[in-house]
Amino acid sequence: MTPSRIPLACYRLQFNGDFTFRRASAALDYFSRLGITDIYASPLLRSRSGSKHGYDVTDPLRIDSELGNEGQFEAFQSALHKKGMGLLLDIVPNHMAASPENPWWMDVLENGPASAYAAYFDIDWHPPSLTLDNKILLPVLGSFYGQALNKRELQLVFRRGAFFVEYYDMSFPLAPKTYRRILKHREHVLEKKLGADSTSFQEYLGIVAALAALPERDSLTMDAAGERRLQAAGIKERLRQLYDTNREVQRFVRDNLRIFNGRRNHAGSFRSLDRLLSEQNYVLAYWQNVNEGINYRRFFNITDLVGVRVEDPVVFEAIHAVILHLIERKVVTGLRIDHIDGLRDPLGYLRRLQERAGSSQERGNSFYVIVEKILSGDEKLSREWPVEGTTGYEYLNAVNRLFIHPRGAREIEEIYFRFLRRDLSYEDVLYQKKKLIMATLLSAEMRYLGRQLSVLAQGDRYARDLSRMELAQALVETTAGLAVYRTYIRSMEVPAEAKREIGSAVEAARSRNPRLDAPCLDFVRNVLLLKDSGHLFAEQREARLAFVMRWQQFTGPIVAKGLEDTVLYVYCPLLSLNEVGGNPSPSAVVASDFNQIATEREQHWPYSLNCTSTHDTKRGEDVRARINVLSEIPREWQNHLNRWARWNKKGKRIVDSQEVPDRNEENFLYQTLLGAWPLQQEEMPHFRARLEAYVIKAIREAMVHTRWTRPNTAHEQAVIAFLRALVEPARGNLFLNDFLKFHRKIAAYGMLNGLAQVLVKMTSPGVPDIYQGCDLWDFRLVDPDNRGPVDFRHRAALLDEIEKRSKQDPLRLVRELIQNWHDGRIKLYLIWRILNLRRKYPRVFLDGQFLPMKATCGREANLIAYGRRSGNTWVMTVVPRWLARSKASPDLTRLHKFWLGSHIALPPNAPQSWLNVLTGETVETTRLRRAPTLSLPDVFKNLPVVVLSGVGRSTRTTRARA
């Protein structure tokens, strides 16, 4: 089914306390004039106070008040409606914030399995560890539990009738029934102060008795659990009133809390607090606890984001209530599903979502849904999924590879190895980093899975004698060998893709570890592939399926942390390849995979997003466009790299007997500077600060010399000192003078790549997605650098001028814009022209045929050309590439000569007359050896990138005119 509404162009906005509904409403006129049809919004539900992204939802039943009040949200909706714009909303079904601001989570901590929300969160209440039965392990402490007690870091507090234990800025509620330990302590003192017959003391006794009468949390029926909650709430209110109205009670409670909180480094003084904490529904533990497995599903390794059991229909309805209401009211017109791979059953979830969201659509139409799904290598999005496509990372990487010269990229890789003085295998690096992640950041999850696997083995007559340690190792090795983020097994019928990927992973484990116990590896394979030789009982088969579905939820985070957040900062021959969903190995770049991908999108995913930057990309689209130029001039890069290393060697420090930065970090720094160096001198102070913050993040993510969990400040300071010396204008800084000269060349060719890239994004099959701020040059780096404020007033003023002057003399305007390309207006102009062309010819861009075209006369490799056609309406995109390798000048006047004698071969039924959408010129079809063609010198006469539109079928021979 076709969605009832399909975006023509999206603009991604990051809503937070600094960018609110009011500010978004003020910018809508700019977006609409730019050609945007749909605002693509970050999550809008209530999240943690001060959240900059909205992915830490605390209350899915409310819109986040930090974004604006109800009236401002209504005004934003009204403004969208008046401009005919849709709202593509990012939602987070996988997890919520494990925060005191989350009432559901706090209820679970307070009441344990008896909580009304116990089934909402992905918690194993009966893990293999008996000490955690009906409890939640919270690995939040920065030191061992006993040390945290002794240092008085765990403190009891009383607020509004309830007791909590606080650990710095974290707060955990006490189970109401355990209040008695605090209130009964020194009861005789309070009796003496108040008098045994006083009303206040009798109320106190009544509260204590009511606490004692609360039913135990275990084995409560739903009705009994509900009654227990009501009783607890009543007791808290009584306690609050007694405390607020009686100073003696206040003094008594405060004194008891002081006693329970103990005296620093006096172990005996913490006995009461220790016992009280042991009776809670949670266990506070050291964050690197190696003895226990975390029994709730985290988002990646983030302890304060807890997985949600959205596969439960009740939970689904609860967390989607506001979203579905907004869909029913036609406010939300599309959904982006965050971290689909974290869900237990993605297909089941998407089907339920379509069923609920689609019910409000016109008969026979579906609802527009896209998923954040990272496709690895040749992996394809499942055609079973009722979605329109992905958020576009596979597209981003395909478009990026268009501008990387394959042979030059391989030379870059060889230069890299020589510079490092050692060869590296990307596959080996990835394998090792996945294992590192499983041994460190996600070790708790792997221990949990290992224990579950042992339970399966214990119940299997053929596996009960296998070594538990070897079984766990076999699972780790198999997981490290998995080539995709996850498989999608949801029943006993294992999909062919899952069989292939798991089979390959097992064989990779066997090949890499010939000494690994073969029976253990065979058992892991049989479990993951749900193989049964006939000896398993039905409940054993179901237990295996449950294990596999749990394992699948963890493999995605392992790949993401191992590849995206580690390898991409370690394996760095050509940094423009180091992107989410990409392969950083230059040897994997092939010459012409884009046409295949574009054709596939046209046929199967015509409404998938075309992105080139997102809030999660490792560097901005125009940073990549610059770095790609190095693949065209590898020898020149080598000369500069070696020269810079020689000059800058004196700026290195010795830390732990090693030069800092190491040569890999040094290569990383040089390429980053080439990609991100500002075009305006006044940006330099801010750039230096941004750069230093980015470099610290990069080397910590690499997990080679320093880590987030164990910072090596000496190494970090040495790297920053080296970096400062590089960018500081000073007499004798040979590097900076040479760098700036080389950068001017890289920036000029990078500009051409950037313009070509944005045109391809807007005209090839799919829906163009513009990330906030990318309407001008985007030289930002990874978050938080790419999530800062954007000056939309400045952009609106630039667009005002462009609109006004384009009506007077578009050709003169274009010439001026390309001559002054440093200010970014040329990019804004292209986006404005083409997005409004999409509005004019929606069927051409949404459903039009994709027609690859070729150049003749020796310039085939330097041209990307294709048409989009619907009926007799044609739009053709023609952009250059690899001009630096061909030694073509980036200067427009001289570049015109490069195309002399070259033509684009056209289909026989192509239009006779073409309009250059960007300049207003007309170009006529000519014939070369009786075949219809376009002369490239005519096409590129006044602009180095071109979009042509035409109507008609004739191919009569006429002269080109401009």
Side-chain angles (χ1 to χ4, degrees):
M1 291 188 293
T2 302
S4 54
R5 179 189 172 91
I6 304 164
L8 270 170
C10 301
Y11 196 102
R12 170 73 181 211
L13 292 175
Q14 296 293 116
F15 283 87
N16 51 54
D18 298 320
F19 188 80
T20 60
F21 296 131
R22 178 177 290 174
R23 291 196 173 186
S25 298
L28 284 185
D29 181 65
Y30 164 70
F31 296 135
S32 180
R33 288 189 292 126
L34 188 61
I36 300 298
T37 63
D38 291 67
I39 295 300
Y40 174 14
S42 61
L44 301 180
L45 299 180
R46 179 169 292 176
S47 56
R48 265 194 293 235
S49 297
S51 175
K52 294 297 183 182
H53 46 74
Y55 291 102
D56 44 2
V57 174
T58 57
D59 188 350
L61 302 181
R62 290 172 176 79
I63 298 295
D64 197 334
S65 59
E66 288 191 3
L67 310 182
N69 58 36
E70 188 173 330
Q72 290 165 343
F73 184 44
E74 290 287 345
F76 176 61
Q77 298 171 37
S78 177
L80 284 172
H81 180 72
K82 287 178 181 177
K83 294 191 176 297
M85 300 177 75
L87 181 62
L88 173 58
L89 181 61
D90 197 343
I91 64 171
V92 192
N94 177 71
H95 58 268
M96 294 178 69
S99 159
E101 298 176 66
N102 184 339
W104 296 358
W105 179 246
M106 294 298 278
D107 193 270
V108 170
L109 295 184
E110 182 175 314
N111 297 294
S115 168
Y117 305 103
Y120 280 41
F121 298 103
D122 204 342
I123 302 167
D124 183 354
W125 291 105
H126 305 289
S129 174
L130 296 179
T131 61
L132 291 177
D133 194 55
N134 281 325
K135 291 177 180 283
I136 307 172
L137 181 73
L138 300 179
V140 297
L141 304 180
S143 58
F144 293 134
Y145 168 72
Q147 294 174 358
L149 274 180
N150 279 356
K151 291 186 288 186
R152 298 187 80 242
E153 293 174 341
L154 294 166
Q155 294 284 288
L156 291 179
V157 297
F158 180 77
R159 292 196 301 266
R160 297 183 295 278
F163 290 100
F164 300 84
V165 59
E166 289 187 341
Y167 179 71
Y168 294 103
D169 61 344
M170 290 179 272
S171 182
F172 309 94
L174 299 191
K177 199 171 179 68
T178 68
Y179 288 8
R180 294 180 70 252
R181 283 208 177 273
I182 302 171
L183 296 177
K184 290 286 287 180
H185 188 70
R186 299 185 316 120
E187 181 182 283
H188 64 282
V189 174
L190 184 64
E191 181 180 12
K192 184 177 180 179
K193 290 287 185 181
L194 296 179
D197 297 328
S198 69
T199 304
S200 295
F201 189 68
Q202 292 302 311
E203 173 63 2
Y204 158 81
L205 291 177
I207 290 170
V208 172
L211 289 169
L214 283 174
E216 296 294 337
R217 68 189 180 201
D218 302 337
S219 304
L220 285 174
T221 64
M222 187 170 292
D223 289 343
E227 179 63 27
R228 183 179 187 276
R229 286 192 299 276
L230 290 175
Q231 292 173 6
I235 294 170
K236 290 178 188 176
E237 178 56 24
R238 291 172 62 187
L239 181 58
R240 184 192 67 79
Q241 291 182 8
L242 180 62
Y243 181 90
D244 289 348
T245 58
N246 193 297
R247 290 185 177 179
E248 291 299 334
V249 172
Q250 292 174 15
R251 186 177 295 110
F252 171 75
V253 171
R254 285 199 299 266
D255 288 346
N256 278 3
L257 291 181
R258 178 179 50 78
I259 294 169
F260 269 69
N261 286 332
R263 288 173 293 151
R264 187 179 179 88
N265 295 327
H266 284 71
S269 68
F270 295 101
R271 279 195 295 265
S272 296
L273 179 57
D274 182 32
R275 173 167 291 184
L276 179 67
L277 292 177
S278 72
E279 296 172 341
Q280 302 310 311
N281 300 303
Y282 47 84
V283 175
L284 301 177
Y286 178 42
W287 73 276
Q288 286 186 310
N289 187 338
V290 298
N291 298 314
E292 302 285 2
I294 295 174
N295 60 327
Y296 70 90
R297 182 170 57 86
R298 303 182 290 178
F299 174 69
F300 288 44
N301 62 319
I302 304 175
T303 302
D304 55 5
L305 292 177
V306 56
V308 175
R309 295 182 63 246
V310 73
E311 62 272 12
D312 184 326
V314 174
V315 179
F316 178 94
E317 292 298 327
I319 69 171
H320 290 83
V322 169
I323 303 300
L324 293 172
H325 177 64
L326 293 174
I327 290 173
E328 187 177 359
R329 289 180 49 216
K330 311 295 185 188
V331 174
V332 169
T333 55
L335 293 176
R336 181 254 198 199
I337 312 304
D338 180 66
H339 193 46
I340 190 73
D341 277 350
L343 306 188
R344 186 172 186 268
D345 179 14
L347 176 58
Y349 167 80
L350 291 169
R351 284 175 172 170
R352 179 176 284 122
L353 182 65
Q354 272 296 352
E355 180 183 341
R356 294 290 284 110
S359 63
S360 63
Q361 306 304 296
E362 297 176 7
R363 187 179 181 87
N365 290 117
S366 61
F367 191 72
Y368 185 82
V369 176
I370 55 169
V371 291
E372 185 201 28
K373 166 60 193 168
I374 312 300
L375 299 170
S376 301
D378 296 328
E379 184 184 10
K380 307 297 182 187
L381 186 64
S382 173
R383 299 284 301 282
E384 279 191 287
W385 287 14
V387 300
E388 299 308 317
T390 73
T391 53
Y393 285 110
E394 74 285 355
Y395 180 87
L396 179 155
N397 286 288
V399 170
N400 187 58
R401 288 193 298 269
L402 265 180
F403 300 96
I404 297 176
H405 195 280
R407 187 186 304 169
R410 287 190 288 274
E411 291 182 54
I412 289 284
E413 190 169 43
E414 293 167 2
I415 293 166
Y416 175 67
F417 293 155
R418 287 196 294 273
F419 186 72
L420 296 187
R421 299 170 182 156
R422 70 183 190 276
D423 286 356
L424 291 178
S425 162
Y426 161 64
E427 289 74 17
D428 289 345
V429 173
L430 177 58
Y431 163 77
Q432 293 295 342
K433 291 301 185 181
K434 284 184 188 176
K435 289 185 63 177
L436 176 63
I437 293 300
M438 286 187 274
T440 55
L441 300 181
L442 296 174
S443 59
E445 282 75 7
M446 292 310 297
R447 287 196 300 274
Y448 176 84
L449 288 173
R451 290 187 178 188
Q452 295 290 354
L453 185 64
S454 295
V455 171
L456 294 179
Q458 185 63 37
D460 188 309
R461 71 181 82 152
Y462 299 114
R464 60 191 301 174
D465 298 317
L466 295 176
S467 162
R468 300 302 182 255
M469 186 177 298
E470 290 276 0
L471 275 175
Q473 187 60 30
L475 182 63
V476 167
E477 293 293 338
T478 300
T479 304
L482 194 67
V484 293
Y485 277 66
R486 67 164 284 175
T487 52
Y488 299 94
I489 299 170
R490 61 193 302 265
S491 69
M492 293 299 172
E493 189 174 338
V494 179
E497 296 85 356
K499 289 180 181 178
R500 182 178 63 251
E501 297 296 346
I502 291 173
S504 296
V506 171
E507 290 312 308
R510 204 184 303 274
S511 174
R512 287 183 180 275
N513 302 273
R515 295 183 180 179
L516 192 63
D517 188 60
C520 288
L521 202 53
D522 291 339
F523 181 72
V524 168
R525 178 197 59 203
N526 292 340
V527 168
L528 296 181
L529 293 177
L530 301 177
K531 288 190 174 182
D532 178 12
S533 61
H535 69 290
L536 296 176
F537 296 105
E539 60 270 23
Q540 290 177 305
R541 292 194 296 270
E542 288 300 315
R544 288 190 176 192
L545 176 60
F547 174 84
V548 171
M549 295 185 76
R550 173 62 87 184
W551 173 74
Q552 290 178 143
Q553 289 179 281
F554 290 140
T555 60
I558 290 166
V559 177
K561 294 302 294 183
L563 173 57
E564 297 172 23
D565 293 346
T566 308
V567 172
L568 296 186
Y569 295 95
V570 173
Y571 190 84
C572 312
L574 188 67
L575 282 181
S576 53
L577 285 170
N578 292 33
E579 199 48 85
V580 177
N583 183 333
S585 176
S587 58
V589 177
V590 295
S592 59
D593 57 352
F594 180 74
N595 287 344
Q596 177 183 343
I597 290 174
T599 301
E600 182 180 327
R601 288 170 80 82
E602 173 208 344
Q603 294 173 352
H604 303 304
W605 306 107
Y607 313 135
S608 189
L609 289 193
N610 293 353
C611 80
T612 45
S613 283
T614 76
H615 60 287
D616 281 333
T617 43
K618 299 302 179 184
R619 48 195 53 81
E621 59 193 47
D622 297 309
V623 176
R624 290 195 306 273
R626 284 179 175 179
I627 297 174
N628 285 341
V629 177
L630 298 180
S631 72
E632 303 178 51
I633 49 174
R635 294 303 162 195
E636 196 170 342
W637 162 242
Q638 180 181 34
N639 292 336
H640 283 285
L641 177 63
N642 291 335
R643 186 157 60 237
W644 296 344
R646 186 171 64 253
W647 287 341
N648 295 324
K649 184 177 176 64
K650 62 181 182 297
K652 294 189 174 187
R653 296 180 183 176
I654 301 299
V655 178
D656 297 329
S657 303
Q658 294 182 327
E659 285 188 343
V660 179
D662 67 24
R663 292 178 77 82
N664 196 32
E665 292 168 329
E666 189 175 2
N667 172 76
F668 186 96
L669 291 176
Y670 295 146
Q671 289 197 25
T672 298
L673 288 172
L674 283 172
W677 195 269
L679 292 169
Q680 310 296 337
Q681 183 61 32
E682 58 268 23
E683 297 177 26
M684 281 305 300
H686 183 49
F687 171 68
R688 291 190 185 100
R690 289 171 44 223
L691 185 65
E692 290 183 15
Y694 167 74
V695 167
I696 291 294
K697 175 170 183 171
I699 60 178
R700 286 183 179 178
E701 294 280 33
M703 296 177 68
V704 175
H705 302 292
T706 183
R707 303 179 184 181
W708 291 107
T709 56
R710 202 165 60 242
N712 182 341
T713 54
H715 184 92
E716 293 175 0
Q717 289 170 0
V719 172
I720 295 302
F722 181 85
L723 177 63
R724 287 174 179 170
L726 294 184
V727 302
E728 184 65 33
R731 189 174 181 181
N733 189 343
L734 299 176
F735 162 77
L736 189 57
N737 293 330
D738 191 63
F739 168 83
L740 291 175
K741 182 179 178 181
F742 187 48
H743 177 264
R744 283 193 289 272
K745 177 175 182 176
I746 295 295
Y749 286 108
M751 173 270 295
L752 296 176
N753 283 348
L755 297 181
Q757 175 179 249
V758 75
L759 283 188
V760 170
K761 173 169 77 171
M762 293 187 293
T763 58
S764 58
V767 176
D769 162 34
I770 298 175
Y771 179 64
Q772 63 175 31
C774 291
D775 26 11
L776 296 177
W777 297 126
D778 180 25
F779 300 125
R780 294 169 295 182
L781 298 162
V782 77
D783 74 280
D785 191 50
N786 62 2
R787 299 185 186 182
V790 176
D791 189 345
F792 291 116
R793 288 185 178 179
H794 172 62
R795 284 162 171 76
L798 293 180
L799 186 57
D800 287 342
E801 180 193 14
I802 285 172
E803 287 179 320
K804 185 184 302 181
R805 293 188 56 193
S806 67
K807 294 176 182 177
Q808 301 165 356
D809 190 342
L811 183 55
R812 182 179 178 183
L813 172 62
V814 165
R815 286 171 174 164
E816 178 189 319
L817 295 179
I818 197 64
Q819 186 176 358
N820 297 281
W821 62 267
H822 294 78
D823 59 26
R825 289 181 298 155
I826 182 62
K827 185 179 181 183
L828 180 65
Y829 176 81
L830 264 57
I831 292 172
W832 169 67
R833 277 293 191 195
I834 303 309
L835 292 190
N836 281 283
L837 185 70
R838 291 180 68 90
R839 274 183 171 163
K840 184 177 181 180
Y841 300 123
R843 298 273 51 101
V844 171
F845 291 103
L846 290 177
D847 304 309
Q849 185 180 6
F850 177 79
L851 301 167
M853 298 181 185
K854 292 184 178 181
T856 62
C857 302
R859 297 303 184 199
E860 297 89 343
N862 297 108
L863 200 74
I864 301 164
Y866 57 85
R868 303 295 306 281
R869 178 193 173 201
S870 178
N872 288 339
T873 303
W874 293 64
V875 173
M876 192 190 331
T877 301
V878 189
V879 296
R881 66 171 176 175
W882 303 344
L883 296 181
R885 189 173 184 89
S886 298
K887 296 181 171 55
S889 170
D891 178 76
L892 184 60
T893 305
R894 285 181 284 174
L895 181 58
H896 180 264
K897 299 176 182 178
F898 175 76
W899 301 111
L900 289 175
S902 299
H903 300 77
I904 299 175
L906 300 177
N909 57 345
Q912 169 63 42
S913 185
W914 299 85
L915 173 67
N916 186 325
V917 177
L918 303 174
T919 66
E921 302 165 284
T922 299
V923 182
E924 299 290 342
T925 297
T926 62
R927 284 190 177 273
L928 183 66
R929 301 184 187 91
R930 298 186 178 181
T933 65
L934 284 176
S935 168
L936 284 176
D938 291 338
V939 169
F940 287 131
K941 184 175 182 180
N942 288 292
L943 196 61
V945 293
V946 173
V947 173
L948 306 172
S949 66
V951 178
R953 292 173 175 270
S954 67
T955 55
R956 293 189 304 273
T957 304
T958 59
R959 293 176 59 83
R961 69 177 186 270

